[in-house]
Amino acid sequence: LLVGLLILMFVLIGNSSSSFSSQSSAAFLINAENNSARMKAAEKGDPQAQFELGQSLLQNMEGNPDDTAMGVLWLRKAASNGNSSAMVALGRLSKNGMGVLQSYAQALEWMQASANKGNPEGMLELGRLYRDGVAVPKDTVQAYIWLNRSAALHNRAAAQERDLIANGLNADKLKEAQSLSVSASKAKPQ
């Protein structure tokens, strides 16, 4: 039904405007099919499909408020099913107050959950919260630990931010931060 409606919309739009190229027409139909398959998988409880559907609905945050609400709903479902990328997305939305009410405490909860699952983006964001003292006391050692762990998982932004923090630490604090990073990385993600 969804694919049929999308095809009908495409035909109606295509007849009213000749600016669509055959390439964009094909892309529109492929995207409609992908969204239909993604919706079916999401409804069956697939956390990755739920995450992708939520992200897709949030692409146009200034558009339809219903899409935003549905996007957040699908992200919450994905997060409750263990998808750490959805946790990061919800944390960022909460921190910025986009699509949801701004809540640093909620952002912290989502980032901690994601980081504890081993998500490098969650670790990056948690490190930033510690660096900036948002929802937690400002703590450059904790910021270094989380940024260092994220960098170890090939996150370039985390490596750059970690190095900036390292430049501001004295030798003893840097040694402590590095030692704690090693200890923390040996702990198994939850």
Side-chain angles (χ1 to χ4, degrees):
L1 180 65
L2 178 62
V3 173
L5 288 173
L6 291 172
I7 291 171
L8 178 61
M9 278 181 24
F10 170 72
V11 170
L12 293 174
I13 292 170
N15 287 337
S16 67
S17 171
S18 60
S19 65
F20 278 106
S21 70
S22 62
Q23 184 179 20
S24 65
S25 301
F28 179 86
L29 289 174
I30 290 169
N31 193 34
E33 289 175 18
N34 287 342
N35 283 339
S36 176
R38 187 180 296 139
M39 175 65 86
K40 287 178 184 174
E43 287 173 344
K44 289 181 180 179
D46 179 331
Q48 184 62 31
Q50 292 169 337
F51 167 68
E52 290 172 4
L53 184 58
Q55 289 290 88
S56 178
L57 288 164
L58 291 172
Q59 289 300 312
N60 185 10
M61 290 287 283
E62 296 172 8
N64 185 344
D66 292 337
D67 284 352
T68 300
M70 286 302 296
V72 170
L73 176 74
W74 282 111
L75 287 178
R76 286 187 174 135
K77 287 182 179 189
S80 71
N81 285 325
N83 186 293
S84 64
S85 295
M87 294 172 191
V88 173
L90 288 165
R92 287 176 173 157
L93 291 173
S94 296
K95 182 180 176 188
N96 297 321
M98 296 294 297
V100 298
L101 293 174
Q102 187 177 46
S103 170
Y104 294 142
Q106 189 67 58
L108 176 63
E109 286 181 35
W110 286 122
M111 295 311 178
Q112 283 177 325
S114 177
N116 288 334
K117 288 183 80 56
N119 185 296
E121 286 296 310
M123 292 175 187
L124 168 68
E125 293 295 342
L126 187 56
R128 288 174 172 166
L129 293 177
Y130 277 107
R131 177 197 66 201
D132 299 336
V134 175
V136 293
K138 188 173 185 173
D139 186 336
T140 52
V141 170
Q142 281 298 314
Y144 181 94
I145 292 167
W146 286 108
L147 293 170
N148 197 29
R149 291 182 66 192
S150 179
L153 295 171
H154 305 284
N155 188 315
R156 287 191 178 127
Q160 292 170 340
E161 293 182 37
R162 174 207 57 207
D163 292 346
L164 288 173
I165 288 175
N167 288 334
L169 296 175
N170 66 36
D172 290 337
K173 284 290 187 187
L174 181 57
K175 185 176 179 179
E176 174 190 0
Q178 289 177 343
S179 176
L180 291 170
S181 291
V182 170
S183 297
S185 68
K186 291 179 181 177
K188 196 173 189 178
Q190 300 171 354

